[in-house]
Amino acid sequence: MALALVPSPSTCNNLGIILSAIPSPSTATMVPSLQGGHQAAQAPMGSALAMQYYTHGLTLDSRHPHLYTNLGSLLKDLGYLAEAVRMYEQAVKYNETFDVALANLGNAIKDMGRVQDSIQWYLKAVRASPNFVEAVCGLANAMAGVCDWRARDGLYTEIAVRWRGAALANDDVAKQIFHVMSRGRRPTAHEYAGKLRQMIGYASALSPRETDGVDKRRGWMNRVVEIVDQQLSDGRAWARSLLLTEPTDGVGTARPTAALIWFLDGLCRLLPQATLAPASPLTRFLHSALTLVREVSDFGAEALPANTARSWAYLARQVRNEGGWAMRLVERAMIVLQRQWYWDVQQR
């Protein structure tokens, strides 16, 4: 309706994104060809419709970087890597700082086996967006793939390498410094001060404090570690307070919510104890946990009996990472459910 009223490349782009995610049977379609024009192909019906909208959007605006990027991703998913690279190149041609297109171009070129060529695009993506996870991790992996260790572990490693070279050249001061560093300790400014300043100044000149959006004193791999650590921290906070309620005064043990009872009850219904298959440890755990949670919930704000309090405190510590804990239980329940179905079929 919106496209009929006001033809817009952005509307075509949004429709393409929605349609490309719809699972559907394959149908004949046309995809862009490297020789110009289009070539026949087979694609899911949603992807085929998305292709048409992306192509129509480019007739409305032939310089729209988001359309080129999404069309490139669609082609990549369909197995047309060379055509996808061409679309990504068009996207960065019209927007040189479009981080998603730059990182996608790097990914596509790397998937074609041209790892060395992909590095320049990852570097541009990191310059455009220093905290873009796909770009930073892609760059670190690509540089490791071609054994390019520049700025991999930061300035400290570069200094250590140069000190080792000086030590091997029979520089007595460098030998002492390398001996300290080989034990995992960084020399202080007071230790071997002249040599320390000399080597730091030399390495700093080759590796600026910050290049391509990353502090080279830390290095690419340290940046990847920071990103993973942040992702794990975000994961621990996911779905917090959905299954447990923290005490308002900050003292005492968290209490179960109605959502926790509903969640455990649903899993227990999927995995009943009375089946042809022997009860799994997960089944026993779920039913005992549901009984315990209901008991704790019945007490409300009252003090729990000692045995119940100990059991609940142990379970509450497991549930602390609420979203991850729930997802792990569901994944394990799927395995047990499949095993239970197999037993039922074999016993009939």
Side-chain angles (χ1 to χ4, degrees), residues 115-138:
V115 181
Q116 184 69 58
D117 295 336
S118 70
I119 291 176
Q120 59 173 317
W121 301 109
Y122 287 128
L123 282 170
K124 291 181 179 180
V126 173
R127 290 192 194 105
S129 181
N131 295 317
F132 187 28
V133 175
E134 286 77 5
V136 175
C137 294

Side-chain angles (χ1 to χ4, degrees), residues 158-332:
E158 291 191 26
I159 296 172
V161 170
R162 298 190 183 283
W163 256 321
R164 182 175 184 276
L168 293 175
N170 292 321
D171 184 323
D172 290 337
V173 176
K175 283 182 181 179
Q176 296 177 49
I177 294 174
F178 181 69
H179 180 65
V180 171
M181 298 181 76
S182 66
R183 299 201 306 267
R185 183 170 69 82
R186 183 171 183 171
T188 66
H190 294 291
E191 293 175 317
Y192 325 115
K195 196 69 175 178
L196 184 68
R197 284 194 296 271
Q198 175 190 344
M199 298 304 291
I200 287 178
Y202 182 60
S204 295
L206 297 177
S207 297
R209 178 185 175 113
E210 185 168 322
T211 301
D212 301 322
V214 170
D215 186 343
K216 285 198 171 180
R217 293 172 303 171
R218 302 199 313 271
W220 295 116
M221 295 310 296
N222 287 337
R223 183 72 185 102
V224 172
V225 170
E226 291 170 2
I227 289 171
V228 173
D229 185 62
Q230 183 60 49
Q231 290 176 331
L232 291 173
S233 298
D234 293 342
R236 286 193 292 270
W238 180 59
R240 182 171 291 170
S241 301
L242 179 63
L243 304 179
L244 298 177
T245 55
E246 298 294 337
T248 54
D249 57 359
V251 179
T253 308
R255 290 300 178 109
T257 64
L260 178 57
I261 298 175
W262 175 84
F263 173 70
L264 291 174
D265 182 65
L267 289 179
C268 288
R269 289 175 186 272
L270 283 174
L271 302 175
Q273 289 182 306
T275 62
L276 296 175
S280 68
L282 177 65
T283 302
R284 291 193 294 269
F285 165 77
L286 289 172
H287 284 269
S288 61
L290 178 60
T291 301
L292 175 62
V293 168
R294 281 176 171 162
E295 183 181 352
V296 173
S297 182
D298 289 340
F299 274 93
E302 301 174 25
L304 299 173
N307 289 338
T308 304
R310 280 194 296 271
S311 299
W312 169 244
Y314 177 76
L315 179 60
R317 284 196 297 272
Q318 297 182 52
V319 188
R320 187 67 60 185
N321 181 9
E322 300 175 44
W325 180 79
M327 291 300 297
R328 287 193 297 274
L329 278 186
V330 171
E331 290 170 355
R332 291 171 60 192

Side-chain angles (χ1 to χ4, degrees), residues 27-33 37-43 80:
T27 184
T29 187
M30 304 295 287
V31 301
S33 170
H38 290 76
Q39 56 185 320
Q42 287 288 323
Y80 294 91

